[in-house]
Amino acid sequence: LDPAMPVLAGGAGTAAEARAAGFTDVTAAEGEATTLARLTAARLDPKQGPLLLAVGQGYGAALTAALRGHGFTVRRRVVYAARPAAALPDSAQAALRRGVARAALFLSPRSASITQALLQREGLAETVRGMVAFALSPRIARALADMPWQAIHATAMPDPSALLALLGPAPGRAPEIGHPEPENEGQERE
């Protein structure tokens, strides 16, 4: 593939991956099929040839339809398959039962739905009352609304750095420059 060909990515993460793969003309949409379709219609001419839409298995039908509605010929190709977990990891179940899990991050409506189904199946749905859910978009937050989360916070737009910003500063404080942290609680700094 020509590294100078335009790449219109669904979000910042995919755009970063395209740049890392050597593509030089990369633009990110806001993570929704409708915004990517509008961006494509604004940037490209359907007469210039077909579009390659690389998607995960079970994804891309709405985007394909929207692009075709703008007059594009779309060649949709499945390039990966995401398979849902059959169960929550034992360590996650143990943390939930002990009440030490305080937050959960959700990157897609599908991951939110699957996680909630697993929580219900394992009898752990009530454990989320003491947890905060952080969602990569308002659409994902809506998918979380059926569970009794302590709170649900969502980024305004699907941006992974905005999701991390929702978490706030890391616990504790950073060591002062030039002064290593004491190894033991009672140890003094020099």
Side-chain angles (χ1 to χ4, degrees):
L1 296 174
D2 178 3
M5 78 167 44
V7 174
L8 305 179
T14 304
E17 290 292 328
R19 286 185 195 97
F23 290 97
T24 57
D25 182 6
V26 180
T27 306
E30 297 173 2
E32 302 281 336
T34 54
T35 56
L36 184 53
R38 282 195 306 267
L39 173 66
T40 303
R43 290 245 359 242
L44 302 176
D45 180 355
K47 294 175 187 142
Q48 291 179 323
L51 300 177
L52 170 63
L53 179 60
V55 298
Q57 186 175 17
Y59 292 94
L63 180 55
T64 299
L67 291 168
R68 287 180 177 151
H70 285 287
F72 289 97
T73 299
V74 180
R75 294 191 178 138
R76 186 171 153 256
R77 299 293 181 263
V78 173
V79 296
Y80 69 93
R83 306 223 190 290
L88 293 171
D90 291 342
S91 58
Q93 289 185 46
L96 290 163
R97 285 191 175 92
R98 288 193 321 269
V100 296
R102 293 284 168 238
L105 279 66
F106 294 93
L107 305 178
S108 73
R110 184 176 186 222
S111 69
S113 296
I114 291 167
T115 300
Q116 291 177 125
L118 292 173
L119 286 166
Q120 290 169 346
R121 191 177 78 207
E122 299 294 336
L124 295 168
E126 289 298 313
T127 64
V128 303
R129 286 189 186 280
M131 295 177 62
V132 177
F134 293 94
L136 186 59
S137 73
R139 185 171 68 125
I140 298 166
R142 288 190 296 276
L144 293 164
D146 291 338
M147 296 279 286
W149 301 96
Q150 179 181 10
I152 299 171
H153 299 289
T155 60
M157 295 183 344
D159 176 4
S161 60
L163 182 62
L164 293 176
L166 283 178
L167 295 174
R173 61 183 174 80
E176 295 174 31
I177 295 175
H179 297 340
E181 281 293 307
E183 289 182 29
N184 300 317
E185 236 178 75
Q187 182 181 347
E188 297 283 333
R189 289 189 186 193
E190 296 177 26

